[in-house]
C-alpha cells in the first residue's frame, strides 16, 4: 500500500518578487541531427574517483564563470542556469511538460559543462532507490568525492565538501539574495523513491496517469530528502545535487517509456497551466495568456508534441517531440 500523494514542496511565500515574469522567445528551429555517437549516463556510484572529481570540478567551474545571459540578479553561469528554472517554474511544474522540460534542462546543464568548462565525462545520476533505506549513507554526500553532507546551524548551510563556500545569488523563490547552499536531510522523504512507489508509477498505462505519479513520488523524494535549497520550487537547481536527482527522474521516465516503444515516444498530454491550488501553495506567479498563445499548443490547455520548451536561450528552444526519444537526434544518450 502507498500513502496519499505528498505535498510537493512547502515554503513561505516570497515577501518580495523582484524577478520579472516569464520571458518568452520565438522558437528557433532545432537543426535535426541524427544520433550516431550514443553517450552514457551512469550512476554516481559507478564513476571512478577521478571521474567524480572531474564532474565536481566542472560544476565549480560553472559557479565561478561570470553570467552572460543578462538575467536580472545573475552573477555567474550557475545563476544563469538557475534563473532559467526560476523563471520557467510556473509553466514547467504541475503540467504535462514537466518531464520533457526537465529533460531539456538536463541537456542544457551538460551542454554548458561541456562547452564552457571542458567537461568530457558522463552525466551521472543519483540512483535514489538504492539509498531509500539509508539516506545518510549515500555516496553522494562524500566530502571529497561527493557533494558534501547535511546543513548545519540555523541557516542549514552545508559546511563540508566542494560546495561549502559557494554563494548563491538567486532565491529564495523569486528573490535576489546572497545565501549558502542549505540542506536538511530527511530520511523519511526518500522512501517515496523506494520500490513500492516505483511499482505504482511503472504500472501506469499511459502518460496521463504516469506523469503526476512521477512528479509526486520519485520527484518529491529527492527534493524533500535533501531539503533546504532543494525544497525551493523555483531555486532548487542552486544545489548541484538537483542535476543528479533530475537525471535519475529522467532515467525513470525513459525506463517507463521503454516498456512500450514506440507508443510511448509520442504519448504526451497534461495541462499547460498548473492548478490554482498549486500556484497558491507554491507562491509562484500566475501563468499569463501570452504564454498560452506562444507555447505551441494553439492557446489550449493541453500539452502536445508541438509544445515549446524554452530554457530562455541557454540552448535553442525545442519542442516536446524533440525530447521524447533520448536517442532522437537532439538527444543522444543511454542509461547504464
Ligand atoms: Cu523543476
Amino acid at each position: 500500500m502507498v500513502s496519499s500523494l505528498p505535498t510537493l514542496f512547502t515554503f513561505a511565500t516570497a515577501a518580495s518578487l523582484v524577478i520579472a515574469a516569464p520571458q518568452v522567445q520565438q522558437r528557433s528551429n532545432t537543426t535535426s541531427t541524427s544520433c550516431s555517437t550514443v553517450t552514457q549516463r551512469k550512476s554516481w556510484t559507478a564513476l571512478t574517483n577521478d571521474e567524480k572529481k572531474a564532474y565536481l570540478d566542472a560544476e565549480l567551474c560553472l559557479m565561478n564563470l561570470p553570467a552572460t545571459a543578462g538575467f536580472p540578479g545573475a552573477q555567474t553561469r550557475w545563476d544563469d542556469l538557475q534563473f532559467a528554472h526560476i523563471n520557467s517554474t510556473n509553466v514547467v511544474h504541475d503540467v504535462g511538460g514537466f518531464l520533457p522540460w526537465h529533460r531539456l534542462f538536463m541537456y542544457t546543464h551538460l551542454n554548458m559543462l561541456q562547452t564552457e568548462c571542458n567537461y568530457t565525462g558522463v552525466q551521472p545520476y543519483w540512483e535514489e532507490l538504492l539509498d531509500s533505506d539509508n539516506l545518510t549513507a549515500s555516496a553522494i554526500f562524500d566530502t571529497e568525492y561527493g557533494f558534501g553532507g547535511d546543513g548545519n546551524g540555523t541557516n542549514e548551510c552545508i559546511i563540508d565538501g566542494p560546495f561549502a563556500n559557494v554563494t548563491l545569488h538567486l532565491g529564495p523563490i523569486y528573490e535576489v539574495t546572497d545565501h549558502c547552499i542549505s540542506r536538511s536531510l530527511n530520511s523519511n522523504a526518500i522512501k517515496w523513491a523506494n520500490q513500492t512507489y516505483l511499482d505504482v508509477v511503472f504500472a501506469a498505462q499511459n502518460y496521463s496517469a504516469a506523469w503526476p505519479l512521477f512528479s509526486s513520488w520519485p520527484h518529491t523524494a529527492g527534493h524533500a530528502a535533501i531539503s533546504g535549497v532543494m525544497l525551493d520550487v523555483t531555486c532548487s537547481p542552486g544545489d548541484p545535487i538537483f542535476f543528479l536527482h533530475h537525471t535519475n527522474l529522467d532515467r525513470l521516465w525513459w525506463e517507463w517509456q521503454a516498456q512500450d516503444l514506440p507508443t510511448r515516444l509520442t504519448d504526451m498530454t497534461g495541462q499547460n497551466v498548473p492548478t490554482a491550488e498549486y500556484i497558491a501553495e507554491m507562491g509562484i506567479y500566475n501563468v499569463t495568456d501570452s504564454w498560452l498563445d506562444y507555447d505551441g499548443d494553439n492557446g489550449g490547455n493541453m500539452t502536445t508534441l508541438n509544445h515549446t520548451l524554452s530554457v530562455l536561450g541557454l540552448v535553442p528552444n525545442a519542442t516536446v517531440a524533440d525530447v521524447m526519444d533520448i536517442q532522437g537526434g537532439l538527444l543522444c544518450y543511454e542509461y547504464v
Side-chain angles (χ1 to χ4, degrees), residues 126-134 190 193-196 198 248 251-252:
W126 175 22
E127 194 167 6
E128 292 163 45
L129 169 64
L130 302 182
D131 293 331
S132 57
D133 284 335
N134 195 349
I190 198 68
N194 75 21
Q195 196 63 52
T196 305
L198 290 181
N248 188 56
R251 179 180 69 95
L252 296 173

Side-chain angles (χ1 to χ4, degrees), residues 30-234:
T30 310
T31 342
S32 75
T33 48
S34 65
C35 170
S36 48
T37 309
V38 181
T39 58
Q40 295 190 324
R41 293 188 174 186
K42 296 180 179 175
S43 170
W44 184 252
T45 55
L47 303 190
T48 66
N49 283 345
D50 284 351
E51 288 170 339
K52 288 175 178 171
K53 190 78 167 56
Y55 183 80
L56 297 167
D57 285 347
E59 293 288 64
L60 283 168
C61 163
L62 278 187
M63 294 171 184
N64 288 311
L65 284 178
T68 59
F71 298 147
Q75 296 182 33
T76 68
R77 286 300 272 165
W78 192 250
D79 296 342
D80 281 348
L81 189 59
Q82 195 186 11
F83 185 91
H85 186 271
I86 293 168
N87 224 36
S88 305
T89 294
N90 61 350
V91 291
V92 303
H93 301 96
D94 197 39
V95 294
F98 166 67
L99 292 168
W101 188 88
H102 286 80
R103 179 169 279 175
L104 183 69
F105 196 51
M106 295 303 104
Y107 167 81
T108 303
H109 164 257
L110 182 60
N111 186 264
M112 287 169 66
L113 290 183
Q114 291 167 334
T115 60
E116 301 180 40
C117 290
N118 301 315
Y119 180 65
T120 57
V122 304
Q123 174 63 50
Y125 57 86
W126 175 22
E127 194 167 6
E128 292 163 45
L129 169 64
L130 302 182
D131 293 331
S132 57
D133 284 335
N134 195 349
L135 176 67
T136 55
S138 174
I140 69 164
F141 302 124
D142 194 275
T143 56
E144 189 175 3
Y145 299 110
F147 298 79
D150 205 355
N152 191 271
T154 48
N155 291 331
E156 299 179 332
C157 293
I158 59 172
I159 54 168
D160 55 22
F163 308 105
N165 297 315
V166 168
T167 300
L168 302 175
H169 307 104
L170 302 179
I173 316 184
Y174 295 113
E175 292 184 70
V176 177
T177 61
D178 283 0
H179 55 283
C180 68
I181 295 174
S182 58
R183 293 181 193 144
S184 181
L185 301 190
N186 181 336
S187 295
N188 291 323
I190 198 68
K191 73 173 188 288
W192 292 314
N194 75 21
Q195 196 63 52
T196 305
Y197 291 90
L198 290 181
D199 286 346
V200 178
V201 176
F202 276 77
Q205 288 303 302
N206 52 50
Y207 189 76
S208 175
W211 81 261
L213 300 175
F214 276 112
S215 177
S216 293
W217 293 331
H219 174 232
T220 301
H223 282 285
I226 303 297
S227 228
V229 165
M230 272 286 277
L231 202 55
D232 185 320
V233 68
T234 66

